[in-house]
Amino acid sequence: MGKVAVGAAVVCAAAVCAAAALVVRHRMRCSGRWARAMAILREFEDKCGTPLGKLRQVADAMTVEMHAGLASEGGSKLKMLLSYVDNLPTGDEKGLFYALDLGGTNFRVIRVVLGGKDDRVVKQEFEEVSIPPHLMIGSSDALFDYIAEALAKFVATEDEGLHPLPGQQRELGFTFSFPVRQTSIASGTLIKWTKGFSIEDTVGEDVVGELTKAMERVGLDMRVAALVNDTIGTLAGGRYYNKDVIAAVILGTGTNAAYVERAQAIPKWNGLLPKSGEMVINMEWGNFRSSHLPLTEFDQALDVESLNPGEQIFEKLISGMYLGEIVRRVLLRMAQEAAFFGDVVPPKLEIPFILRTPHMSAMHHDTSSDLKVVGSKLKDILEISNTSLKMRKAIVELCDIVATRGARLSAAGIMGILKKLGRDTVKDGEKQKSVIALDGGLFEHYTKFRSSMESTLKELLGEEISESIIIEHSNDGSGIGAALLAASHSQYLEVAEA
């Protein structure tokens, strides 16, 4: 072999060695990155842990805070608001009732005809109306006039046989899903607007008074019989169909709970005790916090950067508004520190709230062998393509960690309510049924969240007691529930009973 040939062979061998070394280095780098990404995931999983012992501590803390909030105003992070609802529907209600459900950029007007025990809801009609953006930042009169006009138009479509008796007013249940300081069953002052509304002259005013004046201006003879929030509407709707309903929980974009308390167990209650001996309490449980909650650095960062730092900590761990955002934050860390999606951090992944909980749910529920739903969501929402099956599996696992923590904490919250009411034990062998009415998109559509919450509650209660605790879906409480509360607080009830 000539010198040239030997030289060429040596160069060639060197090139092969260099290429092999590059491949090895690349593999090592990739495996190093993967190990780092998995370390971030495992550490996060560890900090999100919700063993039964921890959940019991959360439930106990919830019970303690409930007692404190009932004892005095401002005594707890739980507001434990008096709803002044002391009569829940029984099923005996009869007649024509209206509801107005205002909770966002749309409102609904609802008409319900109730037929008593045998016929229940004879007829139900509703209409949805969107609010023009300029009215959300205009004047109080302009907004309420617009609502009253829509209500008057809807009333004008009443069937001939439905009109109230001569001399009787129509009655309305008003679901108003903004922070209100309630002062009676049919009055409450607006604390602040949320959800894009900003009408200064309504703040501090009685929202029922504002609506009543607007109805008078458009010539509509109607009385607001009950002012409620959506959680209390859900409780009323649940109780109407099932007398064993004792509490209601909303698990949707936000979260809240309400339950039926003995009036004597409310030290801060100053008025006369209601005839029924009961009072519905709006817990505002989204604001619950405890040192036992499994908070991670991602949750703390989300809270600091939110519109309401330090508030609604429980809600930020369990509600639909935030679950997808927690997943995004962990993925961003994996991308930044472990090049999880390659050398460049995907720009879309840096946009807060771009990954919504319905996207997360779709990925979490992906049963295809190649996890193609996960792949398409990453591509469509975050513009990340070419993900390996291994990466997709890691993302599904991340969704599972976040959803499971939220679901198990929700169950601990419900356990706290059951403990407060003494329904977490069996008394002298008696089997008292306790039904919790649940509503909200997270509960209704995120199947893995729902089943994890239900199985956790069974674990916490134990087999014997869990047989008497039932979770029931109570659909559209905020609509029909308000009409039912108007019926159970009607000014004509005394007349009917006399």
Side-chain angles (χ1 to χ4, degrees):
M1 191 186 284
K3 283 185 183 175
V4 176
V6 170
V10 169
V11 170
C12 191
V16 168
C17 287
L22 271 175
V23 169
V24 169
R25 272 205 302 276
H26 177 69
R27 280 191 183 145
M28 283 172 69
R29 201 169 83 220
C30 286
S31 68
R33 285 173 171 183
W34 180 259
R36 175 73 194 115
M38 289 305 97
I40 293 167
L41 187 62
R42 291 291 153 256
E43 188 187 351
F44 177 67
E45 179 180 34
D46 191 47
K47 292 206 170 129
C48 286
T50 49
L52 277 187
K54 188 180 268 287
L55 292 179
R56 286 202 164 74
Q57 289 173 318
V58 170
D60 290 345
M62 181 71 80
T63 308
V64 167
E65 290 297 316
M66 288 171 77
H67 278 285
L70 290 173
S72 63
E73 287 302 338
S76 161
K77 277 280 185 187
L78 292 181
K79 289 199 172 70
M80 302 300 283
L81 302 171
L82 302 170
S83 69
Y84 297 89
V85 170
D86 53 6
N87 284 310
L88 282 162
T90 59
D92 293 324
E93 293 79 11
K94 287 185 175 178
L96 164 72
F97 297 93
Y98 281 84
L100 166 63
D101 183 4
L102 175 64
T105 52
N106 297 327
F107 64 88
R108 283 188 309 156
V109 285
I110 299 151
R111 175 166 43 236
V112 175
V113 180
L114 303 173
K117 271 272 188 284
D118 299 329
D119 298 322
R120 297 290 171 141
V121 177
V122 178
K123 192 172 191 183
Q124 185 182 348
E125 300 166 283
F126 76 93
E127 201 170 286
E128 192 145 326
V129 184
S130 62
I131 300 171
H134 70 274
L135 289 181
M136 293 168 67
I137 52 170
S139 71
S140 194
D141 284 359
L143 175 67
F144 282 100
D145 282 355
Y146 181 76
I147 292 167
E149 280 162 17
L151 197 48
K153 271 189 206 149
F154 185 63
V155 168
T157 64
E158 239 176 39
D159 290 348
E160 269 307 310
L162 283 186
H163 306 323
L165 295 169
Q168 285 200 358
Q169 278 181 299
R170 289 178 181 84
E171 292 182 299
L172 173 88
F174 184 11
T175 301
F176 187 76
S177 301
F178 298 92
V180 159
R181 186 164 287 108
Q182 196 118 0
T183 44
S184 76
I185 180 62
S187 61
T189 55
L190 176 66
I191 297 168
K192 62 173 179 186
W193 286 107
T194 55
K195 306 175 197 179
F197 283 79
S198 179
I199 305 169
E200 271 313 302
D201 58 345
T202 324
V203 177
E205 295 297 324
D206 175 11
V207 292
V208 172
E210 295 294 291
L211 178 61
T212 303
K213 285 185 288 188
M215 291 193 294
E216 284 166 3
R217 286 195 292 269
V218 301
L220 177 58
D221 186 21
M222 188 177 267
R223 167 185 171 264
V224 177
L227 172 69
V228 294
N229 80 357
D230 51 356
T231 318
I232 288 160
T234 299
L235 179 54
R239 175 65 75 93
Y240 182 69
Y241 290 105
N242 189 332
K243 65 180 181 2
D244 294 322
V245 168
I246 53 151
V249 174
I250 302 258
L251 287 166
T253 307
T255 183
N256 193 12
Y259 74 103
V260 184
E261 182 58 274
R262 289 177 304 112
Q264 285 166 317
I266 311 170
K268 70 181 179 184
W269 170 258
N270 297 319
L272 288 169
L273 289 180
K275 270 193 231 161
S276 67
E278 293 182 335
M279 171 66 71
V280 174
I281 300 293
N282 166 16
M283 290 173 63
E284 291 293 332
W285 88 349
N287 208 37
F288 170 70
R289 70 181 306 168
S290 154
S291 59
H292 301 298
L293 291 174
L295 287 166
T296 70
E297 61 190 290
F298 300 99
D299 304 300
Q300 281 152 349
L302 183 152
D303 176 48
V304 167
E305 292 163 33
S306 70
L307 296 171
N308 53 348
E311 301 291 311
Q312 301 297 103
I313 299 299
F314 196 51
E315 181 167 84
K316 284 167 184 167
L317 288 173
I318 68 175
S319 83
M321 175 90 186
Y322 301 101
L323 298 183
E325 172 62 3
I326 298 165
V327 169
R328 181 197 72 84
R329 284 170 178 266
V330 180
L331 285 177
L332 180 61
R333 173 71 60 84
M334 288 161 75
Q336 288 168 336
E337 293 187 10
F340 188 66
F341 296 111
D343 291 329
V344 179
V345 174
K348 290 268 174 153
L349 191 57
E350 295 181 321
I351 302 171
F353 292 95
I354 190 170
L355 189 69
R356 293 173 48 246
T357 302
H359 304 143
M360 166 191 172
S361 171
M363 294 195 292
H364 194 178
H365 290 103
D366 188 356
T367 53
S368 61
S369 58
D370 58 347
L371 296 177
K372 66 170 177 291
V373 176
V374 179
S376 66
K377 289 285 172 206
L378 293 170
K379 192 165 182 289
D380 297 347
I381 299 149
L382 301 170
E383 292 177 1
I384 298 168
S385 43
N386 304 326
T387 49
S388 68
L389 183 57
K390 194 163 75 160
M391 287 163 76
R392 294 176 192 187
K393 281 181 175 167
I395 290 164
V396 172
E397 194 180 347
L398 172 58
C399 294
D400 190 62
I401 293 164
V402 173
T404 301
R405 178 184 64 168
R408 287 173 70 81
L409 289 173
S410 310
I414 293 171
M415 183 69 176
I417 298 172
L418 293 170
K419 283 176 85 77
K420 170 70 182 72
L421 295 174
R423 287 171 179 261
D424 60 325
T425 54
V426 174
K427 295 192 183 74
D428 308 326
E430 69 177 70
K431 283 277 174 141
Q432 53 172 9
K433 283 248 180 292
S434 303
V435 179
I436 317 282
L438 259 110
D439 198 14
L442 190 61
F443 175 77
E444 199 177 344
H445 304 301
Y446 201 146
T447 315
K448 284 185 187 282
F449 185 100
R450 177 181 182 159
S451 53
S452 173
M453 187 204 74
E454 290 174 340
S455 63
T456 304
L457 189 58
K458 283 200 173 86
E459 273 183 83
L460 285 165
L461 289 162
E463 203 155 312
E464 190 186 5
I465 298 151
S466 65
E467 283 172 20
S468 58
I469 310 290
I470 296 148
I471 296 237
E472 211 167 73
H473 183 212
S474 172
N475 205 358
D476 185 32
S478 59
I480 194 161
L484 292 167
L485 284 166
S488 60
H489 291 81
S490 166
Q491 65 189 331
Y492 305 114
L493 268 185
E494 302 296 323
V495 181
E497 285 165 5

